[in-house]
Amino acid sequence: MSPVPYCTMATMIESALRVNSGAVRQPITSILEKGQAKKREVQNLYSYPLNIALSNGGSLEVLKMLAEAAPSVMLPEEDGADGSRSLDIAMNSKYDWQVINMLLHTNVESSQVSDRRGSYLLHIAANLGLSLDIVRTLCRLFPRLCK
């Protein structure tokens, strides 16, 4: 009997993307067959795989795979009961600079969209007391907000 290879979250996601690369662009509830989707009990669950990974402490490797497979999910899609977007979730989860920078560079347009309260990422970063590196980068992206 040969040993079972160790399977990491990253290898599972790579395999899933090979089977159905489009699934990462759909909310989980739309992937499930009718009858299987149950009403969410918890208010703040997210639907998109990237947002689920962000809200559950996904590694940089996993987040990068998901973001690169579906950069369009980061732009217009509000998700969860709070209507957050991927970068909002990352900032509110206090991810380090590497993750936020990767998300910013995967879809630059996503950094130029305000949340439902009219706050841009710079406002969120300042409100959360995030690092000076993050604030400086956001000022470069939004020079009109830093004057």
Side-chain angles (χ1 to χ4, degrees):
M1 184 166 166
S2 62
V4 177
Y6 177 70
C7 187
T8 65
M9 182 61 71
T11 57
M12 287 182 357
I13 290 172
E14 284 174 341
S15 297
L17 287 172
R18 279 194 295 273
V19 171
N20 184 357
S21 62
V24 75
R25 292 178 200 86
Q26 301 172 2
I28 297 298
T29 53
S30 73
I31 296 169
L32 297 174
E33 291 177 11
K34 274 190 172 179
Q36 287 182 321
K38 294 183 179 178
K39 190 172 180 179
R40 293 169 186 251
E41 305 270 330
V42 179
Q43 285 296 319
N44 221 9
L45 288 181
Y46 297 104
S47 299
Y48 291 93
L50 174 60
N51 297 342
I52 293 168
L54 283 164
S55 66
N56 286 288
S59 70
L60 176 61
E61 179 183 20
V62 166
L63 296 171
K64 186 173 183 176
M65 239 185 294
L66 291 170
E68 288 176 352
S72 61
V73 166
M74 293 170 36
L75 183 58
E77 301 299 336
E78 293 182 356
D79 197 8
D82 59 356
S84 292
R85 293 183 177 89
S86 301
L87 278 161
D88 303 336
I89 297 165
M91 289 182 150
N92 282 307
S93 299
K94 304 239 179 182
Y95 269 96
D96 67 14
W97 173 235
Q98 282 185 308
V99 170
I100 293 171
N101 193 38
M102 178 274 300
L103 291 171
L104 284 168
H105 286 88
T106 301
N107 188 335
V108 173
E109 293 88 21
S110 67
S111 64
Q112 299 173 18
V113 178
S114 64
D115 67 12
R116 64 184 176 171
R117 290 181 290 276
S119 296
Y120 287 90
L121 293 175
L122 179 62
H123 302 126
I124 295 168
N127 187 43
L128 293 172
L130 299 181
S131 78
L132 193 54
D133 285 336
I134 293 171
V135 173
R136 282 184 181 145
T137 299
L138 292 172
C139 279
R140 282 196 312 271
L141 290 170
F142 299 109
R144 64 180 162 65
L145 298 178
C146 297
K147 293 179 181 180

